Short mmCIF file of all heavy atoms in Angstrom, two decimals:
data_model
loop_
_atom_site.label_atom_id
_atom_site.label_comp_id
_atom_site.label_asym_id
_atom_site.label_seq_id
_atom_site.Cartn_x
_atom_site.Cartn_y
_atom_site.Cartn_z
N PHE A 91 -2.40 -53.72 30.46
CA PHE A 91 -2.45 -55.17 30.22
C PHE A 91 -3.24 -55.85 31.36
O PHE A 91 -3.46 -55.31 32.43
CB PHE A 91 -1.03 -55.81 30.00
CG PHE A 91 -0.20 -55.74 31.25
CD1 PHE A 91 -0.14 -56.82 32.10
CD2 PHE A 91 0.58 -54.62 31.51
CE1 PHE A 91 0.74 -56.82 33.20
CE2 PHE A 91 1.43 -54.63 32.46
CZ PHE A 91 1.47 -55.78 33.49
N THR A 92 -3.79 -57.07 31.09
CA THR A 92 -4.42 -57.86 32.00
C THR A 92 -3.54 -58.91 32.63
O THR A 92 -3.00 -59.65 31.91
CB THR A 92 -5.71 -58.48 31.41
OG1 THR A 92 -6.44 -57.48 30.74
CG2 THR A 92 -6.51 -59.24 32.42
N LEU A 93 -3.52 -58.92 33.98
CA LEU A 93 -2.71 -59.91 34.70
C LEU A 93 -3.66 -60.96 35.22
O LEU A 93 -4.46 -60.76 36.23
CB LEU A 93 -1.86 -59.27 35.90
CG LEU A 93 -1.14 -60.19 36.78
CD1 LEU A 93 -0.04 -60.85 36.07
CD2 LEU A 93 -0.69 -59.40 38.03
N PRO A 94 -3.64 -62.18 34.70
CA PRO A 94 -4.41 -63.27 35.39
C PRO A 94 -3.82 -63.68 36.67
O PRO A 94 -2.63 -63.83 36.80
CB PRO A 94 -4.46 -64.36 34.32
CG PRO A 94 -3.17 -64.15 33.46
CD PRO A 94 -2.88 -62.67 33.59
N ILE A 95 -4.62 -63.80 37.65
CA ILE A 95 -4.13 -64.06 39.02
C ILE A 95 -4.68 -65.47 39.61
O ILE A 95 -5.81 -65.85 39.20
CB ILE A 95 -4.36 -63.03 40.10
CG1 ILE A 95 -5.89 -62.57 40.09
CG2 ILE A 95 -3.53 -61.78 39.77
CD1 ILE A 95 -6.17 -61.56 41.15
N ASP A 96 -3.95 -66.08 40.27
CA ASP A 96 -4.23 -67.35 41.00
C ASP A 96 -4.55 -67.07 42.45
O ASP A 96 -4.83 -68.06 43.13
CB ASP A 96 -3.11 -68.36 40.91
CG ASP A 96 -2.79 -68.68 39.45
OD1 ASP A 96 -3.78 -68.77 38.62
OD2 ASP A 96 -1.63 -68.82 39.12
N LEU A 97 -4.51 -65.82 42.95
CA LEU A 97 -4.82 -65.58 44.37
C LEU A 97 -6.37 -65.71 44.54
O LEU A 97 -7.19 -65.46 43.77
CB LEU A 97 -4.35 -64.15 44.79
CG LEU A 97 -2.79 -64.01 44.43
CD1 LEU A 97 -2.47 -62.51 44.72
CD2 LEU A 97 -2.00 -64.80 45.37
N ARG A 98 -6.76 -66.10 45.84
CA ARG A 98 -8.11 -66.36 46.16
C ARG A 98 -8.68 -65.31 47.07
O ARG A 98 -9.81 -64.86 46.81
CB ARG A 98 -8.22 -67.76 46.83
CG ARG A 98 -7.89 -68.89 45.87
CD ARG A 98 -8.24 -70.23 46.51
NE ARG A 98 -7.37 -70.40 47.67
CZ ARG A 98 -6.57 -71.47 47.89
NH1 ARG A 98 -6.50 -72.40 46.97
NH2 ARG A 98 -5.92 -71.52 49.01
N SER A 99 -8.03 -64.94 48.11
CA SER A 99 -8.62 -64.09 49.12
C SER A 99 -8.57 -62.62 48.78
O SER A 99 -7.67 -62.26 47.98
CB SER A 99 -8.11 -64.36 50.51
OG SER A 99 -6.76 -63.75 50.55
N ASN A 100 -9.45 -61.81 49.32
CA ASN A 100 -9.36 -60.32 49.06
C ASN A 100 -8.07 -59.87 49.53
O ASN A 100 -7.56 -58.84 48.97
CB ASN A 100 -10.57 -59.75 49.73
CG ASN A 100 -11.84 -59.92 48.95
OD1 ASN A 100 -11.82 -60.22 47.82
ND2 ASN A 100 -12.92 -59.84 49.65
N PHE A 101 -7.62 -60.24 50.70
CA PHE A 101 -6.31 -59.76 51.28
C PHE A 101 -5.17 -60.05 50.30
O PHE A 101 -4.36 -59.18 50.02
CB PHE A 101 -6.00 -60.54 52.62
CG PHE A 101 -4.64 -60.16 53.21
CD1 PHE A 101 -4.35 -58.95 53.75
CD2 PHE A 101 -3.64 -61.02 53.16
CE1 PHE A 101 -3.15 -58.62 54.18
CE2 PHE A 101 -2.42 -60.89 53.64
CZ PHE A 101 -2.20 -59.55 54.23
N GLU A 102 -5.07 -61.14 49.74
CA GLU A 102 -4.02 -61.58 48.84
C GLU A 102 -4.02 -60.67 47.53
O GLU A 102 -3.03 -60.11 47.10
CB GLU A 102 -4.06 -63.01 48.44
CG GLU A 102 -3.71 -64.03 49.50
CD GLU A 102 -4.07 -65.40 49.08
OE1 GLU A 102 -4.87 -65.67 48.13
OE2 GLU A 102 -3.39 -66.35 49.57
N ILE A 103 -5.28 -60.47 47.06
CA ILE A 103 -5.46 -59.74 45.88
C ILE A 103 -5.08 -58.35 46.13
O ILE A 103 -4.43 -57.53 45.31
CB ILE A 103 -6.88 -59.82 45.23
CG1 ILE A 103 -7.09 -61.30 44.86
CG2 ILE A 103 -7.17 -58.81 44.09
CD1 ILE A 103 -8.49 -61.58 44.52
N THR A 104 -5.56 -57.72 47.17
CA THR A 104 -5.29 -56.32 47.68
C THR A 104 -3.75 -56.13 47.85
O THR A 104 -3.29 -55.11 47.45
CB THR A 104 -6.03 -55.95 48.93
OG1 THR A 104 -7.45 -56.17 48.69
CG2 THR A 104 -5.85 -54.49 49.32
N LEU A 105 -3.09 -57.08 48.43
CA LEU A 105 -1.74 -56.95 48.73
C LEU A 105 -0.91 -56.91 47.42
O LEU A 105 -0.03 -56.12 47.17
CB LEU A 105 -1.24 -58.13 49.65
CG LEU A 105 0.30 -58.12 49.96
CD1 LEU A 105 0.66 -56.86 50.70
CD2 LEU A 105 0.64 -59.38 50.76
N LEU A 106 -1.27 -57.85 46.49
CA LEU A 106 -0.63 -57.84 45.11
C LEU A 106 -0.88 -56.51 44.42
O LEU A 106 0.06 -55.88 43.83
CB LEU A 106 -1.10 -58.99 44.31
CG LEU A 106 -0.59 -59.03 42.86
CD1 LEU A 106 0.98 -59.17 42.89
CD2 LEU A 106 -1.25 -60.19 42.12
N ALA A 107 -2.14 -56.04 44.42
CA ALA A 107 -2.47 -54.73 43.77
C ALA A 107 -1.61 -53.60 44.35
O ALA A 107 -1.12 -52.71 43.61
CB ALA A 107 -3.97 -54.48 43.81
N ASN A 108 -1.52 -53.64 45.65
CA ASN A 108 -0.86 -52.47 46.30
C ASN A 108 0.66 -52.63 46.07
O ASN A 108 1.40 -51.55 45.80
CB ASN A 108 -1.00 -52.51 47.82
CG ASN A 108 -2.39 -51.94 48.14
OD1 ASN A 108 -2.92 -51.10 47.47
ND2 ASN A 108 -2.93 -52.42 49.24
N LEU A 109 1.32 -53.81 45.99
CA LEU A 109 2.65 -53.91 45.72
C LEU A 109 2.96 -53.50 44.27
O LEU A 109 3.97 -52.86 43.94
CB LEU A 109 3.17 -55.38 45.91
CG LEU A 109 3.29 -55.81 47.38
CD1 LEU A 109 3.55 -57.27 47.37
CD2 LEU A 109 4.22 -55.05 48.11
N ILE A 110 2.07 -53.79 43.40
CA ILE A 110 2.23 -53.41 41.90
C ILE A 110 2.16 -51.84 41.89
O ILE A 110 2.95 -51.24 41.16
CB ILE A 110 1.09 -54.05 41.12
CG1 ILE A 110 1.41 -55.55 40.96
CG2 ILE A 110 1.10 -53.37 39.67
CD1 ILE A 110 0.36 -56.30 40.31
N THR A 111 1.21 -51.22 42.58
CA THR A 111 1.01 -49.79 42.53
C THR A 111 2.26 -49.13 43.19
O THR A 111 2.65 -48.05 42.81
CB THR A 111 -0.25 -49.44 43.21
OG1 THR A 111 -1.35 -50.10 42.49
CG2 THR A 111 -0.44 -47.89 43.21
N LEU A 112 2.75 -49.62 44.30
CA LEU A 112 3.85 -49.00 44.90
C LEU A 112 5.22 -49.12 44.16
O LEU A 112 6.16 -48.39 44.50
CB LEU A 112 4.02 -49.62 46.34
CG LEU A 112 2.93 -49.26 47.38
CD1 LEU A 112 3.02 -50.01 48.59
CD2 LEU A 112 2.85 -47.70 47.58
N THR A 113 5.28 -49.93 43.24
CA THR A 113 6.45 -50.14 42.34
C THR A 113 6.37 -49.11 41.33
O THR A 113 5.50 -49.02 40.46
CB THR A 113 6.51 -51.56 41.76
OG1 THR A 113 6.44 -52.50 42.88
CG2 THR A 113 7.88 -51.75 41.11
N PRO A 114 7.35 -48.22 41.20
CA PRO A 114 7.40 -47.12 40.25
C PRO A 114 7.22 -47.72 38.78
O PRO A 114 7.87 -48.67 38.34
CB PRO A 114 8.71 -46.34 40.41
CG PRO A 114 8.96 -46.65 41.82
CD PRO A 114 8.50 -48.00 42.12
N GLY A 115 6.36 -46.92 38.04
CA GLY A 115 6.29 -47.41 36.61
C GLY A 115 4.94 -48.27 36.37
O GLY A 115 4.66 -48.40 35.23
N THR A 116 4.39 -48.66 37.42
CA THR A 116 3.22 -49.55 37.25
C THR A 116 2.08 -49.07 38.16
O THR A 116 2.44 -48.34 39.22
CB THR A 116 3.54 -51.05 37.56
OG1 THR A 116 4.03 -51.08 38.94
CG2 THR A 116 4.37 -51.64 36.55
N LEU A 117 0.85 -49.28 37.74
CA LEU A 117 -0.29 -48.85 38.53
C LEU A 117 -1.40 -49.92 38.41
O LEU A 117 -1.83 -50.14 37.23
CB LEU A 117 -0.72 -47.51 38.00
CG LEU A 117 -2.02 -46.91 38.65
CD1 LEU A 117 -1.83 -46.57 40.10
CD2 LEU A 117 -2.50 -45.69 37.91
N SER A 118 -1.92 -50.41 39.46
CA SER A 118 -3.11 -51.28 39.37
C SER A 118 -4.33 -50.47 39.25
O SER A 118 -4.65 -49.54 40.03
CB SER A 118 -3.17 -52.16 40.73
OG SER A 118 -2.05 -52.88 40.94
N MET A 119 -4.98 -50.68 38.14
CA MET A 119 -6.15 -49.87 37.84
C MET A 119 -7.48 -50.41 38.30
O MET A 119 -8.31 -49.67 38.94
CB MET A 119 -6.33 -49.66 36.28
CG MET A 119 -5.10 -48.96 35.69
SD MET A 119 -5.13 -48.87 33.96
CE MET A 119 -6.82 -48.54 33.53
N ALA A 120 -7.68 -51.71 38.16
CA ALA A 120 -8.95 -52.43 38.69
C ALA A 120 -8.79 -53.92 38.85
O ALA A 120 -7.83 -54.53 38.22
CB ALA A 120 -10.05 -52.08 37.70
N VAL A 121 -9.61 -54.46 39.54
CA VAL A 121 -9.76 -55.84 39.69
C VAL A 121 -11.08 -56.35 39.11
O VAL A 121 -12.00 -55.68 39.25
CB VAL A 121 -9.66 -56.34 41.17
CG1 VAL A 121 -9.83 -57.76 41.36
CG2 VAL A 121 -8.43 -55.84 41.86
N SER A 122 -11.00 -57.45 38.31
CA SER A 122 -12.12 -57.84 37.55
C SER A 122 -13.25 -58.30 38.58
O SER A 122 -12.90 -58.57 39.74
CB SER A 122 -11.87 -59.02 36.68
OG SER A 122 -11.41 -60.12 37.35
N ASP A 123 -14.49 -58.31 38.14
CA ASP A 123 -15.62 -58.62 39.01
C ASP A 123 -15.53 -60.07 39.58
O ASP A 123 -16.00 -60.33 40.69
CB ASP A 123 -16.93 -58.42 38.29
CG ASP A 123 -17.25 -57.02 38.03
OD1 ASP A 123 -16.72 -56.20 38.79
OD2 ASP A 123 -18.01 -56.79 37.07
N ASP A 124 -14.86 -60.95 38.77
CA ASP A 124 -14.77 -62.32 39.27
C ASP A 124 -13.47 -62.60 40.07
O ASP A 124 -13.13 -63.77 40.45
CB ASP A 124 -14.86 -63.35 38.14
CG ASP A 124 -13.85 -63.12 37.03
OD1 ASP A 124 -12.99 -62.09 37.20
OD2 ASP A 124 -13.80 -63.82 36.13
N HIS A 125 -12.71 -61.56 40.24
CA HIS A 125 -11.45 -61.64 41.06
C HIS A 125 -10.39 -62.49 40.39
O HIS A 125 -9.64 -63.11 41.20
CB HIS A 125 -11.70 -62.02 42.53
CG HIS A 125 -12.55 -61.00 43.25
ND1 HIS A 125 -12.22 -59.80 43.55
CD2 HIS A 125 -13.83 -61.16 43.66
CE1 HIS A 125 -13.22 -59.18 44.16
NE2 HIS A 125 -14.22 -59.99 44.21
N THR A 126 -10.29 -62.64 39.13
CA THR A 126 -9.41 -63.50 38.47
C THR A 126 -8.35 -62.71 37.64
O THR A 126 -7.38 -63.21 37.16
CB THR A 126 -10.05 -64.51 37.63
OG1 THR A 126 -10.73 -63.78 36.61
CG2 THR A 126 -10.88 -65.48 38.37
N LYS A 127 -8.54 -61.44 37.58
CA LYS A 127 -7.57 -60.52 36.81
C LYS A 127 -7.44 -59.16 37.45
O LYS A 127 -8.34 -58.69 38.05
CB LYS A 127 -8.24 -60.30 35.34
CG LYS A 127 -8.47 -61.55 34.53
CD LYS A 127 -9.02 -61.16 33.25
CE LYS A 127 -9.69 -62.32 32.56
NZ LYS A 127 -11.01 -62.62 33.06
N ILE A 128 -6.28 -58.69 37.26
CA ILE A 128 -5.92 -57.28 37.72
C ILE A 128 -5.49 -56.49 36.34
O ILE A 128 -4.72 -57.07 35.63
CB ILE A 128 -4.75 -57.15 38.76
CG1 ILE A 128 -5.29 -57.94 40.01
CG2 ILE A 128 -4.46 -55.72 39.06
CD1 ILE A 128 -4.16 -57.91 41.12
N TYR A 129 -6.16 -55.34 36.21
CA TYR A 129 -5.79 -54.47 35.08
C TYR A 129 -4.76 -53.57 35.48
O TYR A 129 -4.81 -52.82 36.44
CB TYR A 129 -6.96 -53.80 34.58
CG TYR A 129 -8.10 -54.71 34.10
CD1 TYR A 129 -9.11 -54.99 34.89
CD2 TYR A 129 -7.99 -55.33 32.83
CE1 TYR A 129 -10.19 -55.90 34.55
CE2 TYR A 129 -8.97 -56.22 32.47
CZ TYR A 129 -10.02 -56.55 33.24
OH TYR A 129 -10.97 -57.40 32.89
N ILE A 130 -3.60 -53.58 34.81
CA ILE A 130 -2.37 -52.75 35.18
C ILE A 130 -2.02 -51.88 34.04
O ILE A 130 -1.94 -52.15 32.90
CB ILE A 130 -1.19 -53.73 35.49
CG1 ILE A 130 -1.62 -54.70 36.68
CG2 ILE A 130 0.02 -52.95 35.85
CD1 ILE A 130 -0.66 -55.76 36.86
N HIS A 131 -1.64 -50.65 34.43
CA HIS A 131 -1.00 -49.57 33.56
C HIS A 131 0.45 -49.64 33.82
O HIS A 131 0.89 -49.45 34.94
CB HIS A 131 -1.60 -48.25 33.80
CG HIS A 131 -1.01 -47.22 32.84
ND1 HIS A 131 0.13 -46.58 33.14
CD2 HIS A 131 -1.39 -46.83 31.55
CE1 HIS A 131 0.50 -45.77 32.17
NE2 HIS A 131 -0.46 -45.91 31.17
N ALA A 132 1.29 -49.73 32.75
CA ALA A 132 2.68 -49.71 32.82
C ALA A 132 3.22 -48.55 32.08
O ALA A 132 2.73 -48.32 30.94
CB ALA A 132 3.35 -51.04 32.35
N MET A 133 4.22 -47.91 32.58
CA MET A 133 4.87 -46.79 31.84
C MET A 133 5.63 -47.23 30.64
O MET A 133 5.56 -46.50 29.64
CB MET A 133 5.75 -45.96 32.83
CG MET A 133 6.29 -44.70 32.31
SD MET A 133 7.13 -43.83 33.65
CE MET A 133 8.57 -43.39 32.82
N ASP A 134 6.35 -48.35 30.72
CA ASP A 134 7.03 -48.82 29.56
C ASP A 134 6.87 -50.32 29.58
O ASP A 134 7.34 -51.04 30.37
CB ASP A 134 8.50 -48.42 29.65
CG ASP A 134 9.28 -48.80 28.42
OD1 ASP A 134 8.69 -48.82 27.35
OD2 ASP A 134 10.49 -49.04 28.55
#
Side-chain angles (χ1 to χ4, degrees):
F91 65 95
T92 303
L93 174 71
I95 54 175
D96 299 323
L97 303 174
R98 294 186 298 236
S99 73
N100 286 336
F101 173 73
E102 292 172 333
I103 295 169
T104 303
L105 182 58
L106 177 62
N108 285 333
L109 289 174
I110 291 169
T111 299
L112 290 172
T113 306
T116 55
L117 175 68
S118 301
M119 297 173 40
V121 177
S122 65
D123 291 335
D124 60 354
H125 300 292
T126 59
K127 300 178 197 85
I128 297 179
Y129 300 99
I130 300 172
H131 178 274
M133 190 170 129
D134 186 28

